[in-house]
Amino acid sequence: MADINNSRGFTSNIGAILAAAGGAVGLGNIWRFPYMLGQNGGGAFLLIYIFFVFLIGIPLMMTEFIIGRRSQSNAVGAYRKLAPNQKGWLILGILSILGGLLIYAFYSVVAGWTLNYLMLACGGKLAGKDTQAITQTFTNFTQGTWWPLASQFLFLILTGAVVTMGVQKGIEKISKILMPALFILLIAMCVRSLTLSGASQGLTFLLKPDFSKIDSHCMLAALGQSFFSLSLGMGCMVTYGSYIQKSDKLFKTSAWIAACDTFVALLAGAVIFPAVFAFGMNPASGPELVYIVLPNVFNSMPAGNLFAIIFFLLLSIAALTSTISLLEILVAFGVEELHWKRKTSSIISTLAVFIIGSICTLSFGPLKEFHLLDRTIFELFDFLTASYLMPIGALLMTIFLGWFYPKVEVKDELSNGGKLKVRAFNLYYLILRYIAPLALLIILISGIVG
Ligand code: TRP
């Protein structure tokens, strides 16, 4: 068994942790987390966020890993194997593929921006500009046609190349190089940021909870962010779970990934807020926080351009390991269900994403006026996936594993066939059957009502 498993998936536990942590750590941590925290009450948001990561995030990640490793299959094949007589569950698999496609389509827009900003920083093109000029750079670039499309395309090609090389020689190998690099760059940025004069105000904002700021809006934002950041509900961790060795411990693996993901979000906060406060910028400025606010910050500090390069390199690396995980959902489906070669599957998936993704890119420029449900296409995809597809996907997964799949089989997979003592199994099962579905229903309903 171990041999078959080895040739198919990750070669070691550390490889699995780094690859899945690479999928989890991404723009969600360094771009989305800081602006969500900035807009939703600072330290209070952080506290709730961490609470949800541990209470719901880790059990849900274990759930996806169990489904994937038990079935040894991609996001659709998993239900074909685990519930051969209940074809309805295939819809859940198809939802995952669709969700992965939509997320990758809008995610690759922002990933393309990071690449462009990295090039701008390397060419010294952000240096010496005033606030207005930096804002202008951002709007001119994102509202254009060819440059943003080219940046997005380049990012898709880069991702496609890694995924084509396979799970071991592509995904696992590059994660083992890029994840440590990411940590080193992030720590270097942290040291710089924390030694700015006036940094402590930013740290206070990040770490000191103001309990009066906790309301339902803040809770929902934190729960949604924990989902997005841990890559849950879209079959990403089902696919990666199918590559985890049978001898690895699923609880330990999930806990490590969640810890890495939370640590990176915290470090990103510790980079961004001290700098934002030290230079009197607005922490609640929204999605452009890292593209408009930070370049201003870099320009006001010594050796700013060097730090701009380090920062956008870091952001590109984080984005790349995540786009790899998004593409792998689609490629694994193509290879295992449609019997395409890996390369063919990568090419077809990448092209499909580019066609849909280019509409997302253009929705900042030429298609800006085109609105559906009051949103641009980019906003619509973000909204649909975060508010509906991810919680629905996760809810159905908990119902599948908690209510339809036999409990003994769940325990068997989590305990590696009875070899491990899983002391907290009853706690996990309680969360799986009741707590997680309830929390997910609340997000869904409040999303529909609000
Ligand atoms: N978690 C990633 C981030 O924080 C984004 C991501 C990658 C994702 N794969 C996913 C989100 C699958 C949902 C589902 O940037």
Side-chain angles (χ1 to χ4, degrees):
M1 193 67 203
D3 275 358
I4 302 168
N5 201 42
N6 270 346
S7 62
R8 184 175 184 279
F10 300 127
T11 59
S12 63
N13 191 225
I14 184 75
I17 291 174
L18 289 177
V25 170
L27 295 169
N29 303 60
I30 305 172
W31 167 69
R32 200 170 189 271
F33 174 79
Y35 85 71
M36 293 295 283
L37 185 128
Q39 288 180 331
N40 291 289
F45 177 89
L46 178 66
L47 200 69
I48 306 222
Y49 175 78
I50 292 178
F51 175 74
F52 282 139
V53 165
F54 285 90
L55 183 76
I56 312 218
I58 293 178
L60 274 179
M61 191 177 291
M62 287 161 67
T63 302
E64 291 204 28
F65 282 162
I66 291 173
I67 295 175
R69 196 174 71 170
R70 191 75 179 164
S71 64
Q72 294 289 299
S73 284
N74 61 86
V76 172
Y79 304 100
R80 197 169 38 69
K81 291 227 180 109
L82 298 184
N85 301 319
Q86 297 167 332
K87 295 257 175 342
W89 289 109
L90 288 181
I91 296 174
L92 170 54
I94 291 166
L95 202 72
S96 300
I97 301 296
L98 196 74
L101 191 74
L102 295 186
I103 294 180
Y104 193 17
F106 79 81
Y107 198 89
S108 60
V109 176
V110 186
W113 295 354
T114 61
L115 217 50
N116 186 70
Y117 267 71
L118 176 61
M119 291 188 279
L120 287 178
C122 287
K125 299 262 168 53
L126 295 169
K129 287 189 167 162
D130 60 15
T131 307
Q132 210 186 355
I134 285 175
T135 311
Q136 200 62 44
T137 305
F138 181 75
T139 12
N140 283 352
F141 166 65
T142 54
Q143 296 187 354
T145 301
W146 300 112
W147 267 116
L149 279 180
S151 315
Q152 181 185 28
F153 193 59
L154 193 62
F155 213 98
L156 292 175
I157 298 283
L158 218 61
T159 308
V162 176
V163 170
T164 303
M165 287 191 277
V167 175
Q168 295 176 358
K169 296 207 175 90
I171 301 175
E172 183 175 349
K173 203 164 175 188
I174 201 153
S175 304
K176 279 184 177 163
I177 301 168
L178 293 185
M179 290 309 286
L182 179 107
F183 275 109
I184 293 169
L185 293 176
L186 200 54
I187 286 168
M189 283 299 300
C190 234
V191 171
R192 167 70 274 195
S193 215
L194 292 175
T195 49
L196 291 168
S197 68
S200 62
Q201 218 188 332
L203 269 190
T204 309
F205 178 76
L206 174 69
L207 297 176
K208 193 164 172 221
D210 170 358
F211 291 99
S212 70
K213 295 237 171 83
I214 298 182
D215 55 12
S216 65
H217 185 76
C218 168
M219 307 255 285
L220 276 179
L223 192 55
Q225 173 61 24
S226 67
F227 261 71
F228 186 82
S229 193
L230 295 172
S231 306
L232 297 173
M234 270 352 345
C236 180
M237 294 301 177
V238 171
T239 309
Y240 274 19
S242 76
Y243 303 142
I244 296 179
Q245 291 184 6
K246 285 282 185 191
S247 53
D248 287 355
K249 298 175 181 166
L250 293 184
F251 170 68
K252 186 184 125 197
T253 306
S254 311
W256 265 108
I257 296 164
C260 283
D261 190 69
T262 307
F263 186 57
V264 170
L266 264 175
L267 283 182
V271 166
I272 291 169
F273 292 110
V276 165
F277 278 88
F279 294 99
M281 312 293 288
N282 177 14
S285 58
E288 64 245 43
L289 188 65
V290 305
Y291 294 98
I292 296 183
V293 177
L294 279 191
N296 277 301
V297 169
F298 294 139
N299 279 343
S300 354
M301 65 194 202
N305 201 54
L306 175 67
F307 286 99
I309 295 174
I310 296 179
F311 181 79
F312 286 110
L313 178 64
L314 169 85
L315 202 56
S316 305
I317 291 176
L320 181 62
T321 48
S322 291
T323 52
I324 288 171
S325 76
L326 284 163
L327 180 60
E328 183 61 21
I329 307 178
L330 308 177
V331 169
F333 167 74
V335 170
E336 293 171 15
E337 300 301 305
L338 308 173
H339 308 294
W340 292 339
K341 286 208 183 81
R342 185 163 260 277
K343 190 171 174 186
T344 316
S345 191
S346 292
I347 293 174
I348 295 178
S349 310
T350 299
L351 280 178
V353 172
F354 186 58
I355 292 169
I356 305 175
S358 57
I359 305 174
C360 294
T361 289
L362 297 178
S363 74
F364 285 88
L367 300 177
K368 202 168 51 180
E369 302 305 324
F370 181 75
H371 283 98
L372 273 176
L373 301 175
D374 263 350
R375 291 174 172 84
T376 66
I377 298 293
F378 178 93
E379 291 163 347
L380 183 71
F381 282 18
D382 185 1
F383 169 73
L384 276 185
T385 49
S387 307
Y388 296 102
L389 288 181
M390 291 171 65
I392 290 176
L395 176 64
L396 293 177
M397 282 180 208
T398 57
I399 294 177
F400 173 74
L401 204 71
W403 295 86
F404 283 83
Y405 198 65
K407 184 175 177 181
V408 280
E409 306 266 334
V410 175
K411 190 162 186 183
D412 186 70
E413 190 60 38
L414 203 57
S415 64
N416 295 353
K419 285 195 205 77
L420 303 173
K421 274 204 210 80
V422 274
R423 271 180 242 109
F425 181 76
N426 287 335
L427 175 63
Y428 165 72
Y429 211 66
L430 180 79
I431 297 176
L432 174 67
R433 266 171 89 100
Y434 302 102
I435 300 178
L438 200 70
L440 289 161
L441 264 180
I442 294 174
I443 317 190
L444 267 172
I445 292 171
S446 61
I448 294 167
V449 173

